[in-house]
Coordinates of all heavy atoms in Angstrom, one line a residue:
E482 N 0.8 -1.2 0.0 CA 0.0 0.0 0.0 C 0.8 1.3 0.0 O 0.3 2.4 0.1 CB -0.9 0.0 1.2 CG -2.0 -1.1 1.2 CD -2.9 -1.1 2.4 OE1 -2.8 -0.2 3.2 OE2 -3.6 -2.1 2.5
I483 N 2.2 1.1 -0.1 CA 3.0 2.3 -0.1 C 2.8 3.1 -1.4 O 3.0 2.6 -2.5 CB 4.5 1.9 0.1 CG1 4.7 1.3 1.5 CG2 5.4 3.1 -0.1 CD1 6.1 0.7 1.7
C484 N 2.6 4.4 -1.3 CA 2.4 5.3 -2.4 C 3.8 5.8 -2.8 O 4.6 6.0 -2.0 CB 1.5 6.4 -2.0 SG 1.4 7.8 -3.1
T485 N 4.0 6.1 -4.1 CA 5.2 6.7 -4.5 C 5.0 8.1 -5.1 O 5.9 8.6 -5.7 CB 5.9 5.8 -5.6 OG1 5.0 5.6 -6.7 CG2 6.3 4.4 -5.0
D486 N 3.9 8.7 -4.8 CA 3.7 10.1 -5.2 C 4.4 11.0 -4.3 O 5.0 12.0 -4.8 CB 2.2 10.4 -5.2 CG 1.4 9.6 -6.2 OD1 2.0 9.1 -7.2 OD2 0.2 9.4 -6.0
V487 N 4.4 10.8 -3.0 CA 5.1 11.6 -2.0 C 5.8 10.6 -1.1 O 5.4 9.5 -0.9 CB 4.2 12.6 -1.3 CG1 3.6 13.6 -2.2 CG2 3.1 11.8 -0.5
I488 N 6.8 11.1 -0.4 CA 7.6 10.3 0.5 C 6.9 10.0 1.8 O 6.3 11.0 2.4 CB 9.0 11.0 0.8 CG1 9.7 11.1 -0.5 CG2 9.8 10.2 1.8 CD1 11.0 12.0 -0.4
N489 N 6.9 8.8 2.2 CA 6.3 8.3 3.4 C 7.2 7.2 4.0 O 8.1 6.7 3.3 CB 4.9 7.9 3.3 CG 4.1 8.1 4.5 OD1 4.6 8.0 5.7 ND2 2.8 8.3 4.4
I490 N 6.8 6.7 5.2 CA 7.6 5.6 5.7 C 7.4 4.4 4.8 O 6.3 4.1 4.3 CB 7.0 5.3 7.1 CG1 7.2 6.5 8.1 CG2 7.7 4.0 7.7 CD1 6.6 6.3 9.4
G491 N 8.5 3.7 4.6 CA 8.5 2.5 3.7 C 9.1 2.8 2.3 O 9.4 1.9 1.6
N492 N 9.2 4.1 1.9 CA 9.7 4.5 0.6 C 11.2 4.4 0.5 O 11.9 4.7 1.5 CB 9.3 5.9 0.2 CG 7.8 6.0 -0.2 OD1 7.1 6.8 0.4 ND2 7.4 5.3 -1.2
K493 N 11.7 4.0 -0.6 CA 13.1 4.1 -1.0 C 13.2 5.4 -1.7 O 12.4 5.7 -2.7 CB 13.5 3.0 -1.9 CG 15.0 3.0 -2.3 CD 15.3 1.9 -3.2 CE 16.2 0.9 -2.4 NZ 16.7 -0.2 -3.3
V494 N 14.2 6.2 -1.3 CA 14.3 7.6 -1.9 C 15.7 7.8 -2.4 O 16.7 7.5 -1.8 CB 14.0 8.7 -0.8 CG1 14.1 10.0 -1.4 CG2 12.7 8.4 -0.1
K495 N 15.8 8.3 -3.7 CA 17.1 8.6 -4.3 C 17.2 10.1 -4.2 O 16.3 10.8 -4.7 CB 17.2 8.1 -5.7 CG 18.6 8.4 -6.3 CD 18.8 7.9 -7.7 CE 18.9 6.4 -7.8 NZ 19.2 6.0 -9.2
L496 N 18.3 10.6 -3.7 CA 18.5 12.1 -3.5 C 19.8 12.5 -4.2 O 20.7 11.7 -4.3 CB 18.6 12.4 -2.0 CG 17.5 12.0 -1.1 CD1 17.9 12.2 0.4 CD2 16.2 12.7 -1.4
F497 N 19.8 13.8 -4.5 CA 21.1 14.3 -5.0 C 21.6 15.3 -3.8 O 20.9 16.2 -3.5 CB 20.9 15.1 -6.3 CG 22.2 15.8 -6.7 CD1 23.2 15.0 -7.3 CD2 22.4 17.1 -6.6 CE1 24.3 15.5 -7.8 CE2 23.6 17.7 -7.0 CZ 24.6 16.9 -7.6
D498 N 22.8 14.9 -3.3 CA 23.4 15.7 -2.2 C 24.2 16.8 -2.9 O 25.2 16.6 -3.5 CB 24.3 14.8 -1.4 CG 24.9 15.5 -0.2 OD1 25.1 16.7 -0.3 OD2 25.2 14.8 0.8
E499 N 23.7 18.1 -2.7 CA 24.3 19.2 -3.4 C 25.6 19.5 -2.8 O 26.5 20.0 -3.6 CB 23.3 20.4 -3.2 CG 22.0 20.2 -4.0 CD 21.1 21.4 -3.9 OE1 21.4 22.4 -3.3 OE2 20.0 21.3 -4.4
E500 N 25.9 19.3 -1.6 CA 27.2 19.6 -1.0 C 28.3 18.7 -1.5 O 29.4 19.2 -1.9 CB 27.2 19.5 0.5 CG 28.5 19.8 1.2 CD 28.4 19.7 2.7 OE1 27.3 19.4 3.3 OE2 29.5 19.8 3.4
F501 N 28.0 17.4 -1.6 CA 29.0 16.5 -2.1 C 28.9 16.1 -3.5 O 29.6 15.3 -4.0 CB 29.0 15.2 -1.2 CG 29.4 15.5 0.2 CD1 28.5 15.6 1.2 CD2 30.8 15.7 0.5 CE1 28.9 15.9 2.6 CE2 31.2 15.9 1.8 CZ 30.2 16.0 2.8
N502 N 27.9 16.7 -4.2 CA 27.7 16.4 -5.6 C 27.6 15.0 -6.0 O 28.2 14.5 -6.9 CB 28.8 17.1 -6.4 CG 28.4 17.3 -7.9 OD1 27.2 17.5 -8.2 ND2 29.3 17.3 -8.8
E503 N 26.7 14.2 -5.2 CA 26.6 12.8 -5.4 C 25.1 12.4 -5.1 O 24.4 13.0 -4.4 CB 27.5 12.0 -4.5 CG 27.2 12.1 -3.0 CD 28.2 11.4 -2.1 OE1 29.2 10.8 -2.7 OE2 28.0 11.4 -0.9
E504 N 24.8 11.2 -5.7 CA 23.5 10.6 -5.4 C 23.6 9.7 -4.3 O 24.6 8.9 -4.1 CB 23.0 9.9 -6.7 CG 22.6 10.8 -7.8 CD 22.1 10.0 -9.0 OE1 21.8 8.8 -8.9 OE2 21.9 10.6 -10.0
I505 N 22.5 9.7 -3.4 CA 22.5 8.8 -2.3 C 21.1 8.2 -2.2 O 20.1 8.8 -2.7 CB 22.8 9.5 -0.9 CG1 22.0 10.7 -0.8 CG2 24.3 9.8 -0.9 CD1 22.2 11.4 0.6
E506 N 21.0 7.0 -1.6 CA 19.7 6.4 -1.5 C 19.4 6.0 0.0 O 20.3 5.6 0.7 CB 19.6 5.1 -2.3 CG 19.4 5.3 -3.7 CD 19.1 3.9 -4.4 OE1 19.1 2.9 -3.8 OE2 18.8 4.0 -5.6
Y507 N 18.2 6.2 0.4 CA 17.8 5.9 1.8 C 16.4 5.2 1.7 O 15.6 5.4 0.8 CB 17.6 7.1 2.7 CG 18.8 7.8 3.0 CD1 19.0 9.2 2.6 CD2 19.8 7.3 3.8 CE1 20.2 9.9 2.9 CE2 21.0 7.9 4.1 CZ 21.1 9.2 3.7 OH 22.3 9.9 4.0
V508 N 16.1 4.4 2.7 CA 14.8 3.8 2.9 C 14.3 4.5 4.2 O 15.0 4.5 5.2 CB 14.8 2.3 3.0 CG1 13.4 1.8 3.3 CG2 15.3 1.7 1.7
I509 N 13.1 5.1 4.2 CA 12.6 5.7 5.3 C 11.8 4.6 6.2 O 10.9 3.9 5.7 CB 11.5 6.8 5.0 CG1 12.1 7.8 3.9 CG2 11.1 7.6 6.2 CD1 13.3 8.5 4.3
V510 N 12.3 4.5 7.4 CA 11.7 3.5 8.3 C 11.3 4.1 9.6 O 11.7 5.3 9.9 CB 12.6 2.3 8.5 CG1 12.9 1.5 7.2 CG2 14.0 2.7 9.1
G511 N 10.7 3.4 10.5 CA 10.5 3.9 11.9 C 11.8 3.9 12.6 O 12.8 3.2 12.2
S512 N 11.8 4.6 13.7 CA 13.1 4.7 14.5 C 13.6 3.4 15.0 O 14.8 3.2 15.1 CB 12.8 5.7 15.7 OG 11.9 5.2 16.5
T513 N 12.8 2.4 15.2 CA 13.3 1.1 15.7 C 14.2 0.4 14.7 O 15.1 -0.3 15.1 CB 12.1 0.2 16.1 OG1 11.2 0.9 17.0 CG2 12.5 -1.1 16.6
E514 N 13.9 0.6 13.4 CA 14.6 -0.1 12.4 C 15.7 0.7 11.8 O 16.5 0.2 10.9 CB 13.6 -0.5 11.2 CG 12.7 -1.6 11.5 CD 11.8 -1.9 10.4 OE1 12.2 -2.7 9.5 OE2 10.7 -1.4 10.3
A515 N 15.8 2.0 12.1 CA 16.8 2.8 11.5 C 18.2 2.4 11.7 O 18.6 2.0 12.8 CB 16.6 4.3 12.0
N516 N 19.0 2.4 10.6 CA 20.4 2.1 10.7 C 21.1 2.8 9.5 O 21.2 2.2 8.4 CB 20.7 0.6 10.6 CG 22.1 0.2 10.7 OD1 23.0 1.0 10.6 ND2 22.4 -1.1 11.0
P517 N 21.5 4.1 9.7 CA 22.0 4.9 8.6 C 23.2 4.2 7.8 O 23.3 4.4 6.6 CB 22.4 6.2 9.2 CG 21.6 6.2 10.5 CD 21.4 4.8 10.9
I518 N 24.0 3.4 8.5 CA 25.1 2.8 7.9 C 24.6 1.8 6.8 O 25.2 1.6 5.7 CB 26.0 2.0 8.9 CG1 26.7 3.1 9.8 CG2 27.0 1.1 8.2 CD1 27.4 2.5 11.0
N519 N 23.4 1.2 7.0 CA 22.8 0.3 6.1 C 21.8 1.0 5.1 O 21.1 0.3 4.4 CB 22.2 -0.9 6.8 CG 23.2 -1.8 7.4 OD1 24.3 -1.9 7.0 ND2 22.8 -2.4 8.5
G520 N 21.7 2.3 5.2 CA 20.9 3.0 4.3 C 19.4 3.2 4.7 O 18.6 3.5 3.9
T521 N 19.1 2.9 6.0 CA 17.8 3.1 6.5 C 17.8 4.2 7.5 O 18.6 4.2 8.4 CB 17.2 1.8 7.2 OG1 18.1 1.4 8.2 CG2 17.0 0.7 6.2
I522 N 16.9 5.2 7.3 CA 16.9 6.3 8.2 C 15.5 6.5 8.8 O 14.5 6.1 8.2 CB 17.3 7.7 7.5 CG1 16.4 8.0 6.3 CG2 18.8 7.6 7.1 CD1 16.6 9.3 5.7
S523 N 15.5 7.0 10.0 CA 14.2 7.2 10.7 C 13.4 8.3 10.2 O 13.9 9.3 9.8 CB 14.6 7.4 12.2 OG 13.4 7.8 12.9
N524 N 12.1 8.1 10.3 CA 11.1 9.1 9.9 C 11.2 10.3 10.9 O 10.7 11.4 10.7 CB 9.7 8.6 9.9 CG 9.3 8.0 11.2 OD1 10.0 7.3 11.9 ND2 8.1 8.4 11.6
E525 N 11.9 10.1 12.1 CA 12.0 11.1 13.1 C 13.3 11.8 13.0 O 13.6 12.8 13.8 CB 11.8 10.4 14.5 CG 10.5 9.8 14.7 CD 10.4 9.0 16.0 OE1 11.3 9.1 16.8 OE2 9.3 8.3 16.1
S526 N 14.3 11.4 12.2 CA 15.6 12.0 12.0 C 15.4 13.3 11.3 O 14.4 13.5 10.6 CB 16.5 11.1 11.3 OG 16.1 11.0 9.9
P527 N 16.3 14.2 11.4 CA 16.2 15.5 10.7 C 15.9 15.3 9.2 O 15.1 16.0 8.6 CB 17.5 16.2 10.9 CG 18.0 15.7 12.3 CD 17.5 14.2 12.2

């Protein structure tokens, strides 16, 4: 049931980091599952 029109928990997101001029990918998860080293970030993180 995850929508891909706008970002929500469960989405995989590809971003362009303007400071480092590179593409990065994250999966938005709840804080319990977050592990930035493995590419999962919390919906509560900045």
Side-chain angles (χ1 to χ4, degrees):
E482 295 179 9
I483 294 174
C484 171
T485 57
D486 296 336
V487 295
I488 299 170
N489 207 329
I490 299 172
N492 285 123
K493 179 183 251 182
V494 182
K495 185 183 282 188
L496 306 171
F497 181 75
D498 184 330
E499 295 180 5
E500 180 180 355
F501 293 103
N502 199 32
E503 67 181 4
E504 290 183 6
I505 52 176
E506 282 189 357
Y507 292 117
V508 176
I509 312 298
V510 296
S512 60
T513 304
E514 290 182 83
N516 185 344
I518 292 170
N519 292 333
T521 56
I522 59 171
S523 168
N524 62 314
E525 298 172 9
S526 69

